[in-house]
Amino acid sequence: MEIKHLPHDKLNDLFDAIIMSDYTLVGPKEKDGVISYDPIESVDDLPQGIIDHQNPGNYALQKTESSRFFAYTISPFSWKKFLYPPTHSLFKATKNENGISFKVNKDEPKYAFIGVRGCEMTAIAIQDKVFMGGDYIDPSYKKRREQALIVGVECYNTCETCFCDSVGSGPEIPEGSDIVLTEIIEKENHYFLVRSETEKGQNILNQLNLEKADETQSMIKDAQLERVRSQLKRKVKVSGLQSKLKENPNHPRWDEVAERCLACTNCTMVCPTCFCMTVEDINDLDGNTERQRRWDSCFSSEFTYIHGGNTRSSTKAKYRQWLTHKFATWQDQFDSLGCVGCGRCITWCPPGIDITEEVAALSESPDTYHKKESSHG
Ligand code: SF4
Ligand code: SF4
């Protein structure tokens, strides 16, 4: 696809074209001390010049002098809150003089997501497989997903917690988005390189009168991406990991991580691919009921409760289930990893448990691991 040049003061024209096509614009904005993904109206809502610092168990924003709109790396929230909302009404049953009437909500919002990163696009593709790839298709997810417009924005900065490159999910934006933007500032020249990846995206860009980008600008874009890639410090060695995890359910590291883990569920709530859910009936005193689906977590004790007991009652079993699913059994189920290296679970884990450190330790054979530990001790 041809790359076009969009001056920074025309970004609002792109937003207006999207709004005129009946989309609800959702994008990054500073809210409650974090970068949130929320409905926005114009570029004035974007977190201009704000960067995020993320470390195990730590998150902080910093205002800089930069005029960059997308200087931050990644929000604690993921786009899954719009495609697969935390609470979702499945149906309402209302008592009336004729008995009970049922109402299923089939109206789903039509979103345009502004600022989707490479790892986040990969996460959306993973959830597509979960909700639309098998015999049982989630109608709400399908409708929201099919009518969504995805505008990717390539990363300019990385956080200490990112490791997208080693799991093959970034920093470049993979196929699947409709429009891709690269924000570039060269001295006084602030602009975007923009390309469409789908007909839906092209229809939006056709409404703008954009000039073709020159070759030098494309080279700057490639160099920017390579710089971002070189900044990624954390890594996961994926090769051979699936069998190592399956073969070592009694690795001593599981006990050690369980001593630190609070089973608080934070990691699963922020994870863009986790999809555990439960179903609840909300009854009122007039005898009406609403059946709701809401996010659950493999760290919650109720989640695995079946008649007579809980199948994973220890924190060790819960953590082992989560990590093994991400890097081993997810591959059996969906033919991909369940982790895109966004680092959210590292930042938002209260004791700062780092999934990349756990994977590295669990990749060692239990015997070698013991010897190393005892030589330290
Ligand atoms: S497991 Fe952690 S790093 Fe991987 S996708 Fe989920 S939140 Fe991101
Ligand atoms: S966020 Fe950390 S402490 Fe909480 S359940 Fe996940 S690994 Fe355990």
Side-chain angles (χ1 to χ4, degrees):
M1 291 284 174
E2 196 171 54
I3 301 180
K4 303 278 190 165
H5 177 274
L6 176 75
H8 81 281
D9 53 1
K10 299 272 185 229
L11 184 60
N12 243 349
D13 293 356
L14 172 63
F15 288 4
D16 288 344
I18 294 172
I19 292 168
M20 291 298 286
S21 301
D22 274 345
Y23 290 99
T24 299
L25 217 54
V26 180
K29 69 201 276 192
E30 186 188 2
K31 189 173 145 192
D32 300 332
V34 300
I35 299 296
S36 181
Y37 295 152
D38 274 309
I40 57 171
E41 288 173 3
S42 74
V43 294
D44 295 340
D45 289 326
L46 297 176
Q48 198 166 16
I50 294 178
I51 58 172
D52 47 345
H53 297 281
Q54 302 193 35
N55 284 294
N58 277 296
Y59 177 98
L61 294 183
Q62 181 191 350
K63 176 85 183 129
T64 70
E65 294 300 313
S66 170
S67 54
R68 193 171 281 280
F69 292 111
F70 299 93
Y72 71 93
T73 303
I74 205 157
S75 163
F77 298 94
S78 68
W79 305 100
K80 86 173 177 184
K81 77 170 182 167
F82 298 100
L83 294 172
Y84 163 52
T87 305
H88 179 68
S89 178
L90 296 175
F91 68 78
K92 286 182 181 162
T94 311
K95 258 171 99 174
N96 54 37
E97 60 276 12
N98 302 320
I100 298 174
S101 65
F102 289 91
K103 188 163 179 250
V104 179
N105 182 19
K106 292 189 178 157
D107 294 334
E108 302 293 355
K110 186 178 164 188
Y111 291 121
F113 300 145
I114 309 295
V116 176
R117 304 302 197 183
C119 64
E120 297 184 306
M121 190 61 240
T122 306
I124 290 173
I126 289 173
Q127 287 215 320
D128 286 352
K129 283 192 185 178
V130 173
F131 292 110
M132 309 194 298
D135 292 338
Y136 302 99
I137 292 174
D138 185 303
S140 161
Y141 182 93
K142 185 168 186 281
K143 192 161 180 198
R144 286 172 183 237
R145 179 67 180 93
E146 286 177 349
Q147 63 191 18
L149 180 88
I150 297 186
V151 181
V153 178
E154 286 178 342
C155 286
Y156 178 73
N157 286 314
T158 61
C159 285
E160 289 282 317
T161 42
C162 298
F163 59 100
C164 59
D165 189 32
S166 65
V167 289
S169 71
E172 62 280 338
I173 298 180
E175 278 181 18
S177 52
D178 299 294
I179 294 173
V180 178
L181 298 173
T182 310
E183 186 173 20
I184 295 175
I185 300 181
E186 299 170 275
K187 299 193 177 124
E188 302 303 305
N189 199 5
H190 184 181
Y191 60 94
F192 289 87
L193 294 179
V194 53
R195 65 180 193 269
S196 63
E197 302 260 307
T198 61
E199 199 182 331
K200 204 173 359 175
Q202 188 57 47
N203 289 341
I204 298 287
L205 294 190
N206 286 345
Q207 298 173 48
L208 310 169
N209 195 12
L210 300 178
E211 286 179 12
K212 191 173 172 237
D214 68 42
E215 260 181 43
T216 333
Q217 291 173 334
S218 295
M219 282 160 65
I220 294 170
K221 160 187 151 39
D222 293 344
Q224 192 160 293
L225 210 51
E226 277 320 300
R227 184 189 51 76
V228 167
R229 194 186 308 281
S230 70
Q231 285 175 352
L232 293 161
K233 301 282 183 305
R234 277 185 165 69
K235 292 194 186 328
V236 161
K237 197 166 162 237
V238 175
S239 156
L241 183 57
Q242 189 180 21
S243 54
K244 280 178 188 156
L245 289 172
K246 285 184 178 177
E247 285 160 14
N248 289 298
N250 295 317
H251 196 293
R253 186 71 180 198
W254 297 124
D255 291 300
E256 289 166 30
V257 70
E259 281 178 22
R260 298 175 64 206
C261 176
L262 310 170
C264 68
T265 80
N266 264 18
C267 47
T268 52
M269 295 296 116
V270 293
C271 180
T273 64
C274 280
F275 59 89
C276 289
M277 64 179 79
T278 190
V279 172
E280 284 178 344
D281 285 347
I282 315 293
N283 306 309
D284 69 19
L285 293 177
D286 294 327
N288 304 314
T289 294
E290 179 175 8
R291 180 158 294 175
Q292 292 183 345
R293 181 188 71 192
R294 69 167 174 81
W295 291 357
D296 205 338
S297 168
C298 53
F299 281 92
S300 98
S301 293
E302 295 78 22
F303 183 67
T304 52
Y305 185 87
I306 51 173
H307 176 70
N310 188 306
T311 57
R312 283 193 294 271
S313 54
S314 71
T315 302
K316 172 183 170 182
K318 289 171 184 170
Y319 191 89
R320 184 176 55 200
Q321 152 65 25
W322 180 66
L323 189 141
T324 306
H325 193 204
K326 290 281 166 206
F327 289 101
T329 48
W330 202 294
Q331 297 194 53
D332 301 331
Q333 238 182 324
F334 302 111
D335 200 23
S336 75
L337 295 173
C339 172
V340 298
C342 68
R344 289 180 174 97
C345 60
I346 305 173
T347 302
W348 295 97
C349 174
I353 294 171
D354 177 346
I355 195 169
T356 65
E357 268 178 23
E358 297 313 310
V359 166
L362 290 157
S363 295
E364 293 184 40
S365 90
D367 294 344
T368 325
Y369 183 75
H370 268 312
K371 275 185 203 141
K372 213 164 156 189
E373 286 295 289
S374 45
S375 71
H376 286 169

